[in-house]
């Protein structure tokens, strides 16, 4: 019933495709970190218009399913005259979507710092710039690391959706493999195993980071 | 942009929306129920049982929902599990949500101060009564915000059911887009629709939350 | 007068892993007597108290309530069934440092809960008895309040009402006033004093030396898991022979100088 041979054979092409899964989620989180930092800064800025914009950005991206966002970008780009490979569109969409979550993670980390710390810095006469770069950011960044690793795990899983725009990552590759072998059960379980392996590794990294912080 | 196509396609869009809500509602309710059972078993069952359940939790949380659906819908028939798209989608949502709900219930239970359980033990209450009268009501209240939050996340996951051809809203919008060659409009409206839906549900959730937790907030 | 239990503690030891938390404790408490357990924090007094109703499992030795072994079927044998343990606990009331009221229930419901679920009384009867218990602790006018709307002292009195409504023959108090603001301590101690006057057997872990001096029949001093001395309050609190007790009281008095 369950063909072990097909199951094992599936790993070759699927592992090859895994590099795209990793590429999309890796670039996605990188882009998400950059845009997320900007959005977080806008959210905490003294300008109401910027704050409003950031709030809408976050609320929209968190409210709309990634699959819909993906198709929206995919169909929007040609209309506004941008012609890029599907791969670029996918990374940009994943990164923009991640930025909403990343900005909230950073906002949370900054809010978690005791107020007294910046008050103490003010009291000894530090400038606002110094307070941010010397007191708040170093702590907030390390506080947020476990949550960011978690976000990366979510992106690895979410990247399976870019299969619908034809990118040969793990999920798309497993669909192709299932179509040629007529053994979807084995192939999809193999795909699940690869995702699981990637995410268990990432989760282990997250635990190490969390542990180091607790000390 | 031609609003007439939405009018023209409104019957199938409305039917699709109905299925979206149905799948979400059943998936959420069943997923919550399964999650609650898992959380209680994890709390009271012997070690080996909890290891098996922990493995289940890790597997479901470590793999994409789409791949889980593929295993269930395309792989299921190979082991005699033949499901139509909609039931497969609902079962998939139930399984996908269960470990997250279980985790939410577990931390809800953990938030119940141990002393309140001990007080019940000290007057001789039996464990089932303690679960029913103390652990559940208190645990549920502290779990409520996270439950609402995750249920909202699940509304967004329902669109993935379109990939295994469940004719829910996403599926119908794609059908409309293909037939009218209006790919952008359909998805744009769909995005606005989900945005609104999620906002409304979260606002509603916050209202219930303040009502239920009103006794639990210290106001001496 | 209430029906009161005796407590016999014999050669009780308790280990947390390698840590020896209770060392060969012997203590007997006659019916209707009030015993205060005092000593520095970490001395094992709360642990001993919690062993008496088996919220904490003791490792060896025997604890008997009215002659009946609690927690184990036979000394050093298998644990007793949950049902038997619950039956014994029905006649042992306990009051905790943190009150441990159930926040989703009103004061009345907190007190009635045990009567309904454990004693199987009807709702009306349970609430009638709960109301009576609440009036006894002076909270007849607060029955419909949730714990979040009560002061610490009121919450602790509800907790006492919850325990006495079950008509216990023995009451255990685990630092009942330690979590209270100083001005609220008195109302709780008064309720306890009234309970003692009714002839209830009471075991009280406390830092209130005044209560120990005036209400207790006997005071037991513990340190590092050992029961150092048990005697009349005056003998322990005013003419202690053991240097450990002298040191403890010195620290206590010095702290109170400020």
């Amino acid at each position: 019933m369950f063909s072990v041979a097909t199951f094992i054979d599936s790993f070759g092409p699927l592992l090859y495709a895994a590099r795209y899964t990793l590429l999309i989620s890796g670039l996605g989180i990188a882009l998400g970190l950059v845009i997320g930092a900007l959005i977080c800064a806008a959210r905490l800025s003294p300008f109401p218009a910027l704050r409003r914009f950031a709030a809408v950005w976050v609320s929209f991206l968190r409210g709309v399913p990634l699959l819909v966002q993906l198709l929206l970008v995919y169909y929007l780009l040609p209309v506004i005259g941008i012609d890029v490979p599907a791969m670029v569109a996918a990374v940009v969409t994943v990164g923009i979507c991640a930025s909403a979550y990343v900005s909230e993670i950073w906002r949370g980390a900054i809010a978690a710092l005791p107020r007294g710390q910046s008050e103490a810095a003010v009291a000894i006469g530090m400038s606002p710039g110094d307070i941010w770069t010397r007191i708040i950011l170093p702590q907030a960044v390390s506080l947020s690391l476990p949550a960011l690793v978690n976000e990366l795990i979510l992106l690895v899983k979410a990247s399976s959706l870019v299969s619908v725009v034809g990118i040969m990552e793990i999920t798309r590759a497993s669909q192709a493999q299932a179509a040629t072998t007529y053994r979807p059960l084995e192939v999809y379980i193999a795909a699940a195993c690869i995702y699981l392996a990637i995410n268990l590794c990432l989760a282990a990294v997250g635990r190490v980071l969390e542990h180091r912080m607790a000390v | 942009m031609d609003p007439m196509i939405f009018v023209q396609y409104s019957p199938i869009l409305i039917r699709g929306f109905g299925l979206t809500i149905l799948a979400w509602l059943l998936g959420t309710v069943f997923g919550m129920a399964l999650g609650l059972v898992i959380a209680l078993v994890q709390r009271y069952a012997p070690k080996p049982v909890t290891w098996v359940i922990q493995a289940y939790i890790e597997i479901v949380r470590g793999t994409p929902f789409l791949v889980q659906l593929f295993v269930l819908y395309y792989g299921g028939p190979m082991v005699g599990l033949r499901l139509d798209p909609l039931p497969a989608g609902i079962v998939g949502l139930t399984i996908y949500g269960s470990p997250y709900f279980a985790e939410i219930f577990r931390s809800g239970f953990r938030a119940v101060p141990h002393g309140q359980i001990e007080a019940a033990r000290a007057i001789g209450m039996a464990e089932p009564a303690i679960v029913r009268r103390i652990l559940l009501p208190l645990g549920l209240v502290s779990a409520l915000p996270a439950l609402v939050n995750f249920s909202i996340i699940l509304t967004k996951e329902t669109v993935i059911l379109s990939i295994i051809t469940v004719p829910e809203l996403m599926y119908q919008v794609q059908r409309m887009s293909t037939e009218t060659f209006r790919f952008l409009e359909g998805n744009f409206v769909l995005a606005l629709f989900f945005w609104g839906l999620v906002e409304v549900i979260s606002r509603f959730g916050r209202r219930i939350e303040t009502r239920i937790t009103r006794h639990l907030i210290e106001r001496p | 007068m209430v029906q009161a239990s005796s407590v016999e503690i014999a050669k009780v030891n308790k280990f947390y892993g390698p840590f020896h938390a209770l060392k060969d404790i012997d203590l007997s408490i006659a019916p209707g007597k009030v015993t205060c357990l005092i000593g520095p924090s970490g001395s094992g007094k709360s642990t001993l108290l919690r062993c008496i109703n088996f919220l904490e499992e003791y490792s060896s030795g025997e604890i008997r309530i009215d002659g009946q072994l609690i927690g184990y079927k036979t000394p050093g044998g298998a644990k007793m069934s949950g049902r038997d343990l619950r039956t014994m606990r029905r006649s042992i009331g306990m009051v905790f440092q943190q009150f441990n009221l159930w926040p989703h229930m009103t004061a009345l419901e907190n007190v009635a809960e045990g009567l309904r679920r454990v004693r199987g009384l009807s709702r009306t009867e349970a609430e009638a008895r709960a109301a009576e218990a609440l009036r006894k602790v002076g909270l007849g006018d607060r029955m419909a309040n949730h714990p979040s709307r009560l002061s610490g002292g009121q919450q602790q009195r509800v907790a006492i009402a919850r325990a006495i409504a079950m008509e216990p023959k023995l009451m255990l108090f685990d630092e009942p006033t330690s979590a209270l603001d100083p001005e609220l301590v008195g109302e709780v101690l008064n309720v306890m004093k009234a309970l003692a006057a009714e002839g209830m057997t009471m075991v009280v872990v406390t830092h209130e030396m005044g209560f120990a001096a005036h209400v207790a029949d006997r005071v037991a001093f513990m340190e590092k898991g050992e029961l150092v001395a048990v005697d009349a309050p005056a003998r322990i609190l005013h003419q202690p022979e053991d240097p450990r007790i002298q040191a403890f009281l010195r620290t206590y008095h010095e702290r109170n100088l400020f």
Side-chain angles (χ1 to χ4, degrees), chain C residues 172-221:
Chain C
L172 309 175
F173 292 86
D174 191 0
E175 302 201 24
T177 57
S178 299
L180 296 178
D181 291 335
E183 72 272 18
L184 302 176
V185 169
E187 60 189 74
V188 171
L189 291 182
N190 282 333
V191 169
M192 291 169 61
K193 212 164 147 180
L195 206 53
E198 283 182 29
M200 177 72 78
T201 310
M202 293 168 53
V203 186
V204 185
V205 171
T206 188
H207 292 290
E208 296 293 333
M209 296 304 156
F211 181 82
H214 295 113
V215 182
D217 297 292
R218 296 207 299 165
V219 173
F221 178 83

Side-chain angles (χ1 to χ4, degrees), chain C residues 9-12 22-27 48 222 225-227:
Chain C
I9 299 171
K11 290 257 171 286
V12 163
L22 294 176
K23 299 173 187 164
D24 276 334
I25 307 288
D26 288 302
L27 179 64
L48 179 60
M222 290 185 69
E226 273 178 71
L227 188 65

Side-chain angles (χ1 to χ4, degrees), chain C residues 130-148:
Chain C
E132 192 187 327
L134 281 167
R135 276 194 289 274
K136 202 164 162 185
V137 298
L139 289 173
D141 54 340
R142 293 294 194 160
M143 297 194 280
N145 286 53
H146 279 84
S148 57

Side-chain angles (χ1 to χ4, degrees), chain B residues 115-127 129 132-134 137-138 215-220, chain C residues 50 53 55 86 89-90 92 94 96 100-105 113-114 117-118 146 148-149 155 162 166:
Chain B
Q116 286 166 2
I117 308 286
E118 276 195 334
R121 274 193 198 128
I123 60 168
M125 266 168 90
E127 214 57 37
R132 212 154 26 88
R133 302 285 305 167
I134 315 292
L138 286 172
H215 296 311
L216 304 177
I217 295 158
E218 201 86 30
R219 276 177 312 185
Chain C
R50 292 160 56 84
N53 67 352
L55 274 184
R86 288 198 295 277
R89 279 178 177 163
R90 281 178 206 181
I92 309 174
M94 183 160 192
F96 301 85
N100 293 340
L101 293 183
W102 300 308
H104 57 310
M105 301 180 190
E113 181 69 12
R117 307 286 147 190
V118 181
H146 279 84
S148 57
R149 307 298 302 272
Q155 289 189 52
R162 176 170 70 183
M166 303 289 290

Side-chain angles (χ1 to χ4, degrees), chain B residues 91-151:
Chain B
V91 172
L93 277 172
T94 303
I95 293 174
Y96 171 76
S98 61
Y100 297 94
F101 281 123
E103 193 58 34
I104 292 168
F105 284 122
R106 200 170 68 109
S107 46
F109 292 156
R110 260 205 314 249
V112 178
H114 189 62
Q116 286 166 2
I117 308 286
E118 276 195 334
R121 274 193 198 128
I123 60 168
M125 266 168 90
E127 214 57 37
I130 296 177
V131 169
R132 212 154 26 88
R133 302 285 305 167
I134 315 292
L135 190 70
L136 277 182
L138 286 172
L140 287 186
V141 167
S142 49
L144 195 68
L147 286 177
V148 171
N149 200 23
F150 189 71
S151 306

Side-chain angles (χ1 to χ4, degrees), chain A residues 58-65, chain B residues 148-149 151-156 191-206:
Chain A
V58 170
S59 141
F60 180 81
L61 291 168
R62 294 210 301 183
V64 178
Chain B
V148 171
N149 200 23
S151 306
I152 293 172
I153 290 176
L154 279 184
T155 58
K156 296 189 290 167
L192 288 183
F193 173 78
F194 267 99
W195 188 16
L197 186 70
V198 166
E199 283 290 315
V200 167
I201 303 177
S202 8
R203 223 155 272 181
F204 185 64
R206 273 195 295 272

Side-chain angles (χ1 to χ4, degrees), chain A residues 33-205:
Chain A
L33 288 174
V34 174
I35 305 177
L38 296 175
I39 294 297
C40 181
R43 195 96 197 241
L44 299 173
S45 78
F47 310 109
L50 272 182
R51 286 209 300 267
R52 178 70 54 83
F53 170 77
V56 171
W57 178 276
V58 170
S59 141
F60 180 81
L61 291 168
R62 294 210 301 183
V64 178
L66 180 61
L67 187 57
V68 179
Q69 290 178 30
L70 205 60
L71 294 183
L72 205 53
V73 172
Y74 189 70
Y75 292 124
L76 179 71
L77 289 180
V79 172
I80 56 175
I82 300 175
D83 185 22
V84 290
M87 181 73 182
V88 175
V91 167
V92 168
T93 315
V94 169
I96 288 178
C97 180
S99 76
Y101 295 90
V102 169
S103 79
E104 287 298 279
I105 289 171
W106 274 342
R107 200 162 70 104
I110 291 169
L113 296 179
R115 250 189 91 74
Q117 293 195 358
S118 29
E119 278 172 359
V122 172
I124 62 167
M126 278 172 87
S127 71
D130 279 347
I131 294 173
W132 274 97
T133 55
R134 307 290 309 158
I135 312 290
I136 297 175
L137 286 182
Q139 297 191 73
V141 167
S142 65
L143 258 181
S144 64
L145 279 180
L148 290 175
V149 171
N150 208 30
E151 179 61 26
L152 181 56
I153 292 176
L154 294 178
L155 285 192
V156 168
K157 292 191 283 173
S159 70
S160 65
L161 296 181
V162 307
S163 59
V164 301
V165 293
I167 293 166
M168 265 294 169
E169 42 64 73
I170 299 173
T171 303
R172 184 73 180 195
S174 60
Q175 283 176 292
Q177 196 71 10
T180 53
T181 60
Y182 299 106
R183 309 235 29 128
L185 185 67
E186 289 84 348
V187 173
Y188 289 132
I189 288 181
C193 288
I194 297 175
Y195 279 112
L196 189 61
I198 295 173
N199 286 334
L200 287 179
C201 289
L202 287 174
V205 172

